[in-house]
Amino acid sequence: KQICELAFQGATTAVGVAENLLNEAIEKHGAEAPVKYPDTAYKLPVITALSGEDITTLGELVPVLQRIKANNLRPEPELGNALLSGEATLYAGEIIEALRYLGGGKPDEPPYTGFLSDPVLRKFGVPLVDGTIPGIAVITGKAKDAQAGARLIKDLQSKGIMIMLVNDIIEQCIEENIKVGADYMTFPLGKFTQIIHAVNFAARAGLAFGGVPKGAREQMLDYQKRRVPAFVIALGELDAVTIAIGAGALFMGFPIVTDQDLPAELQIPELLEAQPDYDKIIKLALELRGIKLKIVDIPVPITVGPAFEGETIRKKEAWVEFGGGRSPGFELVQMGDADQVEDGKIEVVGPEIDEMPEGSVFPLGIIVRIFGRKMQEDFESVLERRIHYFINYGEGLWHVAQRDLCWLRISKGAKEAGFKIRHFGDLLIAKFKSDYPAIVDRVEVTLLTDLPAVEAKIKIAREKYQARDARLKGLTDETVDTFYSCTLCQSFAPNHVCIVSPERVGLCGAVSWLDAKASNEITPTGPNQPIAKGECLDEEKGMWHNLNDFLHTASNRTLEEVNLYTLMDKPMTSCGCFEAIMAILPLTNGVMITTREHAGDTPCGMTFSTLAGTCGGGVQTPGFMGIGRRYIVSAKFIPADGGLGRIVWMPKELKEYLKDELTERAVALGLGADFIDKIADETVGTTEEEIMPFLEERKHPALTMPPLM
Ligand code: SF4
Ligand code: NI
Ligand code: NI
């Protein structure tokens, strides 16, 4: 078929270009010149994933390219050969792109992102895993006009889909003032071959979260088909190279929709289909990829979707702000009886936005009352935490913190679009009802913007918060007889199991014991299952008979035993979305912790990215462990290994973040209120040798503890 011939032609051209550029580069820099992408543990990921070579120098690329030329370029017009041409194009693209990074530079000017680093991969790992991000759209080419292109992107953004843009569509978006960047999950990769950064992102998802071994080509392709919900929208004319790249997408299992009027015989049902009507393109692409969206119509005049979750609104962009220490503010979810909650009722007590001058500060109270036959008091805090996400999903709305610390802004743009205070109510009602149908039957929202009203109700809210805290504080691993599993991440890391106890939050930091309990009651067959602890096999290390049994089954029989309270012996596995990683530092007899936010070197000789590559994917790696940040200040922080006193290094930012609780814990453990000052950070050093004198001078307790190994 003609498409196959074009794919072959295009692939031949691409491989030829890669070969020429490679030869030139070798002539100029030598075969020994190092070649790598910035901030990744996966070398050149397409090659690492598909054939497994650890490419580190230019010279090593020569035999790879030769092999591809010999094996993959077959002219006979068959679909199988077209896919091989596609694979060849991916190799060629990866090589051409990698050459742009020679010498360790960052060749792309903003807004172009070029290669997406491992931290980006990890940041979007959790939402991809839990389905918050339902898919990845790769859009390449040029839309018939800028407005039509912009509408496509807006539509995808409102659906919460991760977007990668290549070629002229980027300029069209900018022209139409579409917001791009990580905050909007919209990545303008760049031009032409930079589309490969979508592919090497997908490949790393398989390596990092899927536990697919490098070079396991068939397994990787299978993983891509089943677990990476990516699709391609190709806009504008299709030339041979574009078609070859498209064949590469098909090879990875990503279907393509083109806006060109392709005759039926040139289309490949289910894989390559044409849809010239822009209003129908996305629907078709989602169908081809089997992505089902929960459609929620939210009656507010702004776009709502996870794409806007990370959007920041600076003070000068805000029309009005609330809370955040500038004015009293709070938010509260309370369950009520059937006769107390009037479904859909929204009441605003105090001024509406039209009565708020530009740049003003107002008090705000958000009271959400929920009735549900299966609603429980324990769910209140779980649902209350959702307020943060739901409000942030609104374009032009900004929300940080929670409870009586909450801080909100409404942008000038949202105000202009017609957003009113009462729309907070519409937004919350729609989201609570659509996201929690099993427990939420009726929702009513009261919004207070009047100072006396806020002051009166904030007292009630504070009493509620205190009561809840008291209950959570009373929960220890000993006082409950049931822990919960979390296997949400198995969609990415098929053998990974988190065990969540009152004193150990899930390693993503987002699932506490109460959350897991509530989630189990909301969805009994879901990813959080209760496990009665049963017989304790090792009190110190934290091993229970029933937990082992559960783990064995849930890990697909890859693991037999797990200890909850140590990182040295059968520790909990890590999937890929850990907030922080611990690693032992043998010389100091202690452990270090680094976070996803900290990109720099650490005393164990690895950055967060590299560490993540060594301990992710659902395997036990003694001496290394992914954790949630809050686990560090838990009373069950590696007690079997000596506890908090073992920590000799962590990034400054983490120290600040945990400061008060860390000090409180240190005092409780008899380590002294100044323990935090004995922990080294990046300003002290980033090797064991560098931090040793500091630890000695400050008499760090780890130095005199029993040997760790
Ligand atoms: Fe994933 Fe564990 Fe978090 Fe569950 S608790 S979402 S399995 S990291
Ligand atoms: Ni995970
Ligand atoms: Ni995870």
Side-chain angles (χ1 to χ4, degrees), residues 204-214 216 219-220 223 492-495 575 616-619:
R204 274 176 290 156
L207 293 165
F209 303 118
V212 179
K214 58 183 186 178
Q219 206 179 324
M220 177 56 78
Y223 185 83
F492 266 95
N495 299 332
C575 45
V619 290

Side-chain angles (χ1 to χ4, degrees), residues 460-474:
I460 300 172
R462 284 186 177 138
E463 278 163 24
K464 267 299 241 191
Y465 305 148
Q466 269 168 14
R468 275 189 213 152
D469 284 350
R471 171 155 160 65
L472 193 63
K473 271 229 168 92

Side-chain angles (χ1 to χ4, degrees), residues 212-291:
V212 179
K214 58 183 186 178
R217 180 171 174 268
E218 296 311 316
Q219 206 179 324
M220 177 56 78
L221 294 181
D222 181 57
Y223 185 83
Q224 295 293 329
K225 281 197 190 75
R226 285 185 300 115
R227 313 270 197 190
V228 181
F231 56 88
V232 179
I233 296 176
L235 303 172
E237 264 175 56
L238 301 169
D239 56 32
V241 173
T242 310
I243 287 179
I245 293 173
L250 295 183
F251 168 77
M252 295 289 283
F254 308 153
I256 306 173
V257 175
T258 163
D259 67 343
Q260 300 297 293
D261 213 350
L262 275 197
E265 66 272 18
L266 288 186
Q267 303 187 28
I268 311 170
E270 308 280 307
L271 292 178
L272 170 63
E273 297 196 10
Q275 180 49 269
D277 181 349
Y278 271 59
D279 291 334
K280 295 183 181 155
I281 288 180
I282 292 175
K283 187 165 174 286
L284 176 62
L286 294 177
E287 274 168 23
L288 292 184
R289 198 64 182 97
I291 297 172

